[in-house]
Amino acid sequence: MVRQSPTLPPPILLVEDTISLQIVYRAILESAGHTVTVAANAAEARAHFQEHGPAVVLLDLVLPDRDGLELMQEFLALAPETGFIAITANNSADRAVEAMRAGAHDYLVKPIDEARLLDAVRNALAEKRPRRAAPPVHVPDRGSAPVETSGFIGSSESMRRIHGTIGSVARSMATVFITGESGTGKELCALAVHAHSARAQGPFIALNCGAIPQDLLESEVFGHMKGSFTGAISDKPGAAAAADGGTLFLDEICEMAPALQTKLLRFLQTSTVQPVGATRPRKVNVRIVCATNRDPLEAVRRGQFREDLYYRLYVVPIHMPPLRERGEDVIEIAEAALIRFAEEEGRRFQGLSPEVQAQLMRLPWPGNVRQLLNVIRNVVVLNPGGLVTPEMLPPGLTLDEAAEPQDAEEGVTADGLPLDGLVGLSLAEAERRLIEATLARHGGSIPRAARVLEVSPSTLYRKLDGWKARAG
């Protein structure tokens, strides 16, 4: 395959069978300084691809002589470093998603916005720059807060598949949708995607959509201008602008209000943000990774999550399995956490005894990796060192109690909620008991408890913060 001289602009191959669109797209690209060759069908595209070795291919998925997706896969087998941008009609979003999963860098929906077209090409070209070796998961610096990495350790088959997916998707601009129970390491997975991408030197901004009151969430995501609402005493850039050049991680995405979902969809389509109170939008270059511990498709069926936003985000799904399904990963995570926490506390531990390993393997871990890390930290903090024995494990971590959590407290139903114990309490205290019991029943997951109680997760966060403040 012939490659052009490195002194020339990287060539772009445009594969589009509609003549009028060829003219429009070519004019836009050439006015931006790009070298463009045009093909009207698969046969011409193959000839140009072999002759010019384009850096980026803009490919209409519907061609007169061949399926565009098959053509892309053929070209990727010849030159895996090529950046493909799929072009699709508005009524064939599923094909675009299929193309992204097959290796496309991005996709454009007709009619194509000029700025969106140039952004997609620029991002695809940027991903082709020489890249250094992928850093470890903990490389992204998010300030002084330490990043716990033990939860992303594991050699189980499920974790090997996840690491393989991350390696494949990290180089692209495709959005990644991470699902899994609370405490399974979804944010660590997002960090791994960021750390293995060409954006690793850029910011990693995490935002929990369920922890922020809905009336403030738009400001947190897109920012606001001074004086735009009561309490806006200064300009605030927002998470999307703060993540410019890096990755924006939206956790608990299914808790986002419908009105904000519409604005997020526009942001994904235009790559622009408009802070509350601003008169002009601002262009940003952000890669989106999102996560939820709910079933996103079920949220769509219930009308709680926009279907078009779901298909725009759900391009590369990654499911983080619960710890109980990860076999000996439990021991690997526990041993790594023991070393880390012992170093932090200045203790010397010799490892886990066989009895402790056997017990950790048998426990159901409703709180997943987060619960396991808390158990190991408890061991390190409360013991001077040596070999970790069963006696060092925190009280209550027994097989009997773990197997039947519904019987752990007298007066609690099979669903973990109090019965007669509420009688005689004030309404505020009864509410607190009910919320705490529901949280305990669902492993501390606020979104799950919120669904059971039929309230917003932000309501529970506010109540918990209020109780902590009064207790302090």
Side-chain angles (χ1 to χ4, degrees), residues 86 155 160 290 340-341 429 431:
S155 56
R160 285 199 297 269
C290 57
R340 175 186 172 90
F341 297 153
E429 182 59 26
E431 178 188 58

Side-chain angles (χ1 to χ4, degrees), residues 121-463:
V121 171
R122 182 167 55 250
N123 291 334
L125 289 171
E127 291 290 339
K128 286 182 60 59
R129 293 170 183 163
R131 293 167 54 192
R132 51 183 171 72
V137 175
H138 63 275
V139 162
D141 181 9
R142 296 188 294 159
S144 58
V147 177
E148 173 57 62
T149 61
S150 300
F152 215 65
I153 293 171
S155 56
S156 63
E157 178 61 29
S158 58
M159 289 303 294
R160 285 199 297 269
R161 285 196 300 269
I162 288 171
H163 286 295
T165 301
I166 290 172
S168 299
V169 74
R171 63 178 286 272
S172 78
M173 277 291 290
T175 54
V176 177
F177 203 120
I178 308 169
T179 57
E181 296 178 7
S182 179
T184 51
K186 295 187 291 296
E187 183 170 351
L188 289 178
C189 183
L191 274 166
V193 172
H194 173 76
H196 287 76
S197 73
R199 297 170 170 266
Q201 296 298 97
F204 178 89
I205 305 297
L207 191 67
N208 189 321
C209 300
I212 302 171
Q214 296 291 354
D215 54 346
L216 297 179
L217 190 54
E218 180 180 359
S219 172
E220 291 294 327
V221 176
F222 299 116
H224 64 251
M225 307 301 291
K226 179 180 179 180
S228 58
F229 55 85
T230 303
I233 59 176
S234 62
D235 292 349
K236 180 175 181 177
D244 194 9
T247 302
L248 176 60
F249 174 54
L250 298 175
D251 198 6
E252 296 186 23
I253 185 72
C254 288
E255 311 304 328
M256 184 176 283
L260 191 55
Q261 291 178 29
T262 303
K263 296 184 178 181
L264 177 60
L265 181 62
R266 177 168 177 77
F267 166 61
L268 293 171
Q269 292 170 338
T270 65
S271 298
T272 61
V273 295
Q274 186 163 353
V276 179
T279 57
R280 295 182 178 178
R282 170 191 168 186
K283 207 75 173 175
V284 294
N285 182 4
V286 175
R287 202 260 182 87
I288 300 292
V289 179
C290 57
T292 182
N293 57 16
R294 298 173 59 180
D295 179 352
L297 195 54
E298 180 62 25
V300 170
R301 294 192 185 102
R302 292 176 176 268
Q304 299 165 340
F305 200 68
R306 288 181 62 115
E307 184 175 14
D308 49 1
L309 179 58
Y310 167 79
Y311 285 114
R312 185 63 180 81
L313 292 173
Y314 203 79
V315 177
V316 179
I318 297 179
H319 179 71
M320 294 298 297
L323 188 56
R324 61 185 173 273
E325 296 178 3
R326 291 177 54 182
E328 294 190 358
D329 283 359
V330 175
I331 306 304
E332 293 184 37
I333 295 170
E335 290 176 338
L338 183 65
I339 293 172
R340 175 186 172 90
F341 297 153
E343 183 178 349
E344 291 178 359
E345 300 293 335
R347 308 287 171 84
R348 295 178 64 88
F349 284 86
Q350 299 172 4
L352 307 174
S353 70
E355 295 80 10
V356 168
Q357 293 187 25
Q359 183 167 345
L360 296 183
M361 287 286 292
R362 291 195 300 268
L363 288 168
W365 300 112
N368 291 298
V369 175
R370 186 181 295 125
Q371 181 187 6
L372 174 60
L373 296 179
N374 288 340
V375 167
I376 301 302
R377 185 177 287 278
N378 178 284
V379 169
V380 171
V381 170
L382 298 181
N383 295 279
L387 188 68
V388 178
T389 61
E391 294 75 23
M392 296 182 181
L393 296 177
L397 193 70
T398 66
L399 292 175
D400 290 341
E401 292 178 349
E404 297 182 339
Q406 67 272 23
D407 297 327
E409 183 178 346
E410 185 177 356
V412 173
T413 70
D415 290 329
L417 303 179
L419 289 172
D420 296 339
L422 296 180
V423 178
L425 299 177
S426 67
L427 182 60
E429 182 59 26
E431 178 188 58
R432 179 169 181 171
R433 294 273 186 93
L434 180 63
I435 289 173
E436 289 176 342
T438 307
L439 284 168
R441 178 69 182 86
H442 293 280
S445 170
I446 288 178
R448 284 193 202 169
R451 288 197 297 276
V452 171
L453 296 170
E454 296 184 356
V455 298
S456 167
S458 59
T459 299
L460 296 189
Y461 280 109
R462 287 197 298 272
K463 289 184 179 295

